[in-house]
Structures are given as structure tokens and as C-alpha cells.
Amino acid sequence: MAAASSSSIISLQKIVPTASFPFSSSPATLTKTFQTNLNFSFLLHSSNKVTQVQCSTATKYNDVGVDEEMDRIRRLQNGSDVRGVALEGERGRTVDLTPPAVEAIAESFGEWVKNSLEKDRGGPVDEDVIRVSLGKDPRISGPSLSVAVFAGLSRAGCLVFDMGLATTPACFMSTVLPPFAYDASIMMTASHLPYTRNGLKFFTKKGGLTSPEVEEVCDRAARKYANRLAKVSTLLTTPPRRVDFMSAYAKHLREIIKERVNHPLHYDTPLQGFQIIVNAGNGSGGFFTWDVLDKLGADTFGSLHLKPDGMFPNHIPNPEDKTAMALTRAAVLENKADLGIVFDTDVDRSGVVDKSGNPINGDKLIALMSAIVLREHPGATIVTDARTSMALTKFMTDRGGNHCLYRVGYRNVIDKGVHLNEDGIEAHLMMETSGHGALKENYFLDDGAYMVVKIIIEMVRMKLAGSDEGIGSLIKDLEEPLESVELRMNIISEPRHAKEKGSEAIEAFRQYLEEGRLHGWELDACGDCWVSEGCLVDSNDSPAAIDARMYRAKVSDEKHGQYGWIHIRQSIHNPNIAVNVQSTVPGGCLSITRVLRDKFLLASGMDKVLDISQIEKYAQSSS
């Protein structure tokens, strides 16, 4: 096939305006990008002119069996997201999130949205009124993959709205905030993963798609992908429409702060007198500085890495990253700021640093949000994943709250909160230790910016009440586990069999516990829940589908009683098993790990299925 000409690129820019790209690229640069990444052809129809862009494929259709072609798409599913390698540069990993794959997935999502609307409305839906928005983080693969999304949605008959650089929470909010209120939205991001990765997150007005729903979309896309020849033509009869939703979203956040602070002296600038540092990690979170904080009167001097850069040159955009937290801490102390904020790439997660330079993420962030929520909703239930500490449970119950431990995976935790509320149990906060947190008052949406909004409002209220302690004082009585460790065991298997092998290992662990082969170890329980089918579940008639097997065991001995726990789980995103251990006594984690190695992994023969080198290295270390 012929390579894309410069005139083709110019026609392309009519449909995807230069403003929608986070970088200024010359036609020559764009030509090189599309020659490298777009291994399919499509027709661009704009201003009564049709241009065909064609690029060569690296793999001929007949070289690979249909089953392998289908598996290639299905393996892109990672829980409730789609993720893959979009650019070369990772040792041992080939590019699998290609434009043809993305186009098939986007088309299948468009069809899924149409079918869902027809079910909800009880009849046919006119395709011309199905409206879908697309946002993206600044990754350098975003422009070419965006074109594939536009093509796929167009093939499904959807009207497409290009939000340009956006955040994941904003994509969902574009389905509910007037006058936009789109039927669905896609966010193109791979969160904190390297620049070579990319992915898709899917939303409707009901929230993010669940793992089974994404599996349905990927199955449909796999069939399309396998049944098509390499050369695919798409007619974009209606070009994507560029919209500025982020300004509306920022205004929405500003209004929430103004209304809830209700400052007696300067209502429109309630953050006047506060200095707040933002570390956006070169992701999509810079807007929060200039379009939210600055306009509310805050001093944001000293903020870090606000310019979007898809190569992420400074550090991983991740509130769990030690470098990100250390740099933010240093900026807070140097500037004597009142608060520091760290966003991940797509701003569905956040962490903070208090005025004393103390990093607040993980259990500490959950505790901080719990303290705020339990003041507003006494007796509420807080849902977390099952890796949180025993001390966090005590922190919540001391404030009159209830702690529900649930499966690892932010969608699992959020969905659990939704189901509890449906059952009449007031669950106002759902948070995972990774920083994903959702509130009932905010559509059960994991929105890192909204979490920060809640913290800022509390900070201002405390100041107005005469307190100079800062938000860190809200968690000063939170105890930390004496010891904590996370280890990984890679699954020794071909990728297509890894999930099955991992499930077998997890179930063997459960069997050892139930048969009492691990002395002092017992399957953990939580309130009215019990451990069943690889997770902590409700005693209702419709438990949620399981996306990965996992168990938590409490560990006790005669001297200390319960002194720790171990959580073993199958990774949703990678072919490995994660082992988390916590202990309240010195040497407890080492002792627990050695029992795991000797009494289970070696005794059961699972060391032949799992690479236990990390376990071995830690178990052989001195206490």
C-alpha cells in the first residue's frame, strides 16, 4: 500500500484539529507517525473532500490463525479497562494496542452503547443521535490512536465529540453535566504506566463499565478483528466535533468549593490566603492549578510539572511514587505551603502532603477521607480493599464508622459500595489503597480532583474555625503497621494460560487454609461477609462477578494473638501473583513469609508453577 502523503495529513488535520494534539507537529512529523503506527486504511470525509490514508501492516492476515487474532484482542482487557503496548521501546514486549485493534474495540463499544440504550428505552434508537465523547492524556501515541477511535465510533453510527486533553473523571462527567450530557465517553489513558503504553476506559451515564461488560465489548471486537483483512476502509461522514468540556468541568469544581465553604468575607475567592502546591507529573492535572485554584484566589507558586508531556520526563505520575511525593514534600516545605497535591496521569487518583511535609497516601489517605466523611455522615460504612491495616479499621470504628473489607481492584471496591447502598446500608466512601476513591455524593466516581476538593474544603473550614493545625491533624492518632511488605510471584506459563494457572495456585492456597495445614492461619472474615469463591462477598443472592482470585488470612499465635495478615491475589493486569503481608510485631512479616514458602509453596509443589525467587530472597534475609 502507498504511504500517507502530506496532503492526506492536511486533510486529517481538518478532522482532528491541531489543537486536539498535545504537541505541535509538522506534517512531516505526523506523516512519520502515521506511517509507523496506522497499519490500516480509512477514508476521511471533510469539506466534501474524501482522502484515503493507507499504511502497511506488519503482519499478514493469513500468517496467523483466527484464534490467535481473537486472543490478541481479548488479552488487551485488564479488568474494567483496555490496556496494551502502543509504542515500541519495551524489552520483551511487542506492540499490541494497534490502531486496527483500537478501531475494532471502539466500534464494538459504540454498538454496545446502542444496544444498551435500546434495552433501556424499550425500542430502536436512531443511530444519528448516539453521542460519544473522547478524551485523552498526553501520551505520544494518543493522536494516532484517537483517529482509530473516531473511525470505530463512526462505523458504529455514533456522533463523536473530541474533548482533546482531558481527565478520566471529566470523561464520565461529560455524560451528566449539561449542556453536554453525552450518551457515553471513552478516556484514552494507561494511568501511571510508561509512555509506551496506552489504553481505553469506558463510561455511560450509569458510570464506568464493569469487567464483564468490557469483556463483552472485547469479545465482539475480537470477532471483528479476526474476520477482517488487514485493509480496512472507513468513511467518516461526520467529522468529530471539537468541544471544550474541561472548562465546564473546572467551573463545576469551583462552584462546589465556593458553595460549601461559603466564605463570610470573600465568597468568590475562598482560597485567598492559602498556598497550594500541585504536582501534575506532566499528565492531565495541570488544569486544576490555573482553572480551579488560581481562580479561587489560591497562591500556587512552586507547583511542579504542570506542562503535559507524554514522555513523563520527571517522574512517574503516581501518588504512590516515592519520587513524586518527595519532590512535592520538598516544594511544600520550601514554600511553607498549606497543602501539596499529587495527581496521577489521568487524575482519577490523588495524594496530598500536609503543611508539615507529611505524605498522605495509601492507608493515611483513606483515614483522612474517612475522618471527613464520618463527620458529615456519622455511622457510615467505608469500603476498602482487603490490603488495609488493622489499625485503619480501629481508626474508623473509633469514629463510629463501619469498615467493609472487599476485593482488591478499584471497580470491585466502588461496585461494592453501590450494592451496599442498594441494600439500604449507607456507604458514603469507597477507597482502594492505590488512591482510587469514590464518594456516594459524586456519582460513585473515582475522581482524584474531587477527593482533593473535599480535603481543601475541610482545610478552609478548619481555618475559619480558628485551627492552624492543618489537615494532617485529622489523622494524628492513626497507628501504622510495624511491618509491611509486598512481593510478587510470576506465573510460569504462556500468556494465554497464565490466568488459569494463577487461579489454580490461589485455590490451592485456600484449600491449605481450610484443611488447617498452616498452623495459626485462618481465612479472614468481615462483619456479615465471609470468604467465598476467592473474595470477600456479601451474603446476597447476586454476588459480583470475579475478575481475579484472592484470599486474605489472619495470622495468630499463642503469645501475640492475631499479629498480622497475609493477602495473596492474582493480578488483573499482569501474569503474576501479589503477596501482601503486614505485622504488628518485629519479624512478623519474615516469619509469615517463611511459613508461606515452606509450608505451602514448596510443600504443594507450587514452586514449579510460580517463580518464587522474590519470596526466597526475602525469606533468606535476616530479621
Side-chain angles (χ1 to χ4, degrees):
M1 299 181 207
S5 65
S6 60
S7 61
S8 300
I9 298 302
I10 293 172
S11 296
L12 176 63
Q13 289 176 320
K14 292 179 181 178
I15 292 191
V16 189
T18 303
S20 70
F21 292 83
F23 314 97
S24 58
S25 302
S26 66
T29 303
L30 286 172
T31 301
K32 182 178 180 181
T33 300
F34 283 99
Q35 286 175 333
T36 303
N37 295 325
L38 254 65
N39 56 339
F40 69 113
S41 71
F42 52 91
L43 296 178
L44 299 173
H45 187 236
S46 179
S47 303
N48 298 319
K49 180 179 179 181
V50 177
T51 303
Q52 186 172 27
V53 179
Q54 296 178 316
C55 299
S56 61
T57 58
T59 304
K60 295 181 180 179
Y61 177 78
N62 293 329
D63 289 343
V64 185
V66 171
D67 287 345
E68 175 58 28
E69 292 281 290
M70 295 179 70
D71 285 344
R72 186 176 299 170
I73 301 298
R74 290 182 177 129
R75 285 198 296 269
L76 293 172
Q77 181 188 358
N78 284 270
S80 57
D81 305 342
V82 164
R83 289 186 185 177
V85 179
L87 296 172
E88 294 181 0
E90 290 189 49
R91 179 177 294 181
R93 294 293 299 266
T94 58
V95 173
D96 52 10
L97 193 71
T98 60
V102 169
E103 188 209 17
I105 293 169
E107 180 183 357
S108 298
F109 175 63
E111 294 172 349
W112 185 91
V113 171
K114 178 185 176 184
N115 293 338
S116 298
L117 290 174
E118 289 177 344
K119 289 178 183 177
D120 292 343
R121 299 176 186 178
V125 175
D126 186 354
E127 290 182 346
D128 291 338
V129 299
I130 300 175
R131 303 159 71 242
V132 182
S133 62
L134 171 70
K136 61 177 179 290
D137 72 17
R139 292 169 190 278
I140 60 176
S141 59
S144 59
L145 293 183
S146 293
V147 176
V149 172
F150 297 149
L153 291 173
S154 180
R155 285 176 65 95
C158 301
L159 296 178
V160 187
F161 296 82
D162 179 14
M163 293 167 54
L165 186 70
T167 70
T168 292
C171 282
F172 166 74
M173 293 302 293
S174 75
T175 70
V176 295
L177 281 186
F180 304 91
Y182 303 124
D183 296 298
S185 183
I186 297 176
M187 175 66 182
M188 185 177 295
T189 182
S191 188
H192 61 282
L193 295 179
Y195 77 93
T196 52
R197 307 288 182 94
N198 216 326
L200 303 171
K201 296 183 178 181
F202 308 95
F203 298 94
T204 67
K205 296 177 186 293
K206 297 178 182 179
L209 266 63
T210 64
S211 293
E213 289 169 338
V214 175
E215 183 177 358
E216 182 182 340
V217 170
C218 287
D219 280 344
R220 184 192 295 259
R223 290 191 293 272
K224 293 181 186 300
Y225 185 82
N227 289 328
R228 286 175 182 164
L229 297 179
K231 186 176 182 179
V232 177
S233 295
T234 297
L235 181 64
L236 295 180
T237 54
T238 305
R241 303 177 189 180
R242 182 60 191 258
V243 293
D244 179 16
F245 178 77
M246 289 304 295
S247 294
Y249 173 63
K251 181 181 179 182
H252 168 71
L253 296 178
R254 293 198 306 269
E255 291 302 316
I256 290 172
I257 295 175
K258 289 194 291 187
E259 290 173 8
R260 296 185 187 175
V261 169
N262 194 23
H263 202 287
L265 300 178
H266 34 86
Y267 178 86
D268 289 325
T269 55
L271 302 187
Q272 185 178 319
F274 289 90
Q275 184 171 11
I276 302 175
I277 302 291
V278 175
N279 183 348
N282 301 112
S284 298
F287 84 97
F288 195 80
T289 309
W290 54 76
D291 220 6
V292 178
L293 300 179
D294 288 350
K295 290 183 178 180
L296 293 176
D299 177 1
T300 58
F301 179 80
S303 291
L304 306 167
H305 317 318
L306 302 182
K307 183 179 179 181
D309 185 337
M311 296 298 291
F312 310 122
N314 293 291
H315 58 73
I316 299 171
N318 185 355
E320 294 183 287
D321 182 66
K322 292 181 179 179
T323 301
M325 275 295 180
L327 290 173
T328 308
R329 177 181 186 273
V332 167
L333 294 175
E334 179 182 350
N335 292 279
K336 297 181 180 179
D338 298 283
L339 185 70
I341 300 166
V342 180
F343 288 126
D344 77 339
T345 314
D346 57 325
V347 197
D348 57 0
R349 293 186 298 138
S350 56
V352 297
V353 175
D354 71 10
K355 63 186 295 184
S356 300
N358 298 311
I360 301 177
N361 54 13
D363 278 10
K364 291 181 179 179
L365 184 61
I366 298 175
L368 175 60
M369 290 305 304
S370 298
I372 294 171
V373 168
L374 289 172
R375 283 184 179 183
E376 298 172 344
H377 306 282
T381 292
I382 312 296
V383 185
T384 74
D385 65 89
R387 295 172 297 179
T388 54
S389 68
M390 295 181 287
L392 180 61
T393 300
K394 182 177 184 298
F395 181 89
M396 293 177 185
T397 54
D398 284 349
R399 285 159 176 75
N402 300 295
H403 187 192
C404 174
L405 291 164
Y406 198 56
R407 245 180 288 163
V408 175
Y410 72 94
R411 281 304 327 170
N412 294 330
V413 172
I414 294 172
D415 290 343
K416 176 66 170 180
V418 172
H419 295 152
L420 286 175
N421 279 282
E422 290 173 349
D423 290 341
I425 299 172
E426 291 288 325
H428 285 273
L429 173 66
M430 294 67 63
M431 285 200 74
E432 194 187 35
T433 49
S434 65
H436 282 284
L439 289 151
K440 179 182 179 181
E441 68 187 51
N442 188 44
Y443 303 95
F444 295 98
L445 174 66
D446 53 320
D447 186 342
Y450 192 88
M451 285 288 167
V452 169
V453 162
K454 292 284 289 185
I455 293 169
I456 289 173
I457 291 170
E458 187 67 21
M459 178 182 70
V460 179
R461 285 175 174 171
M462 291 174 68
K463 188 76 170 181
L464 288 173
S467 172
D468 290 320
E469 289 187 298
I471 53 94
S473 64
L474 296 178
I475 58 170
K476 59 185 177 183
D477 60 333
L478 174 68
E479 299 175 10
E480 295 190 50
L482 184 65
E483 296 181 347
S484 183
V485 65
E486 178 174 291
L487 303 166
R488 296 272 174 171
M489 300 183 290
N490 289 328
I491 300 170
I492 305 171
S493 170
E494 293 182 16
R496 66 172 65 186
H497 302 306
K499 187 172 183 178
E500 180 184 353
K501 293 292 184 183
S503 295
E504 290 175 3
I506 299 289
E507 289 305 308
F509 177 71
R510 175 191 59 79
Q511 184 177 350
Y512 264 59
L513 290 171
E514 290 181 339
E515 294 177 356
R517 299 193 197 185
L518 304 175
H519 182 67
W521 292 28
E522 181 183 353
L523 283 173
D524 210 346
C526 162
D528 293 329
C529 305
W530 73 95
V531 180
S532 172
E533 296 181 338
C535 61
L536 292 167
V537 299
D538 275 335
S539 56
N540 58 27
D541 295 330
S542 55
I546 296 170
D547 50 13
R549 303 275 168 175
M550 59 192 75
Y551 292 102
R552 172 165 153 163
K554 52 187 177 183
V555 182
S556 308
D557 63 18
E558 294 180 359
K559 181 178 180 180
H560 304 99
Q562 183 182 352
Y563 68 87
W565 55 258
I566 179 170
H567 186 273
I568 180 169
R569 65 183 172 90
Q570 188 176 6
S571 173
I572 297 174
H573 302 299
N574 296 295
N576 64 46
I577 288 175
V579 179
N580 290 86
V581 185
Q582 282 192 7
S583 172
T584 60
V585 301
C589 285
L590 187 60
S591 173
I592 292 170
T593 303
R594 286 172 176 170
V595 171
L596 176 72
R597 178 194 62 180
D598 298 338
K599 303 296 185 181
F600 171 62
L601 294 171
L602 297 178
S604 67
M606 282 299 157
D607 59 318
K608 305 297 190 298
V609 177
L610 306 172
D611 176 4
I612 66 169
S613 55
Q614 278 194 29
I615 302 288
E616 286 278 13
K617 183 177 180 180
Y618 180 72
Q620 291 171 5
S621 62
S622 62
S623 56

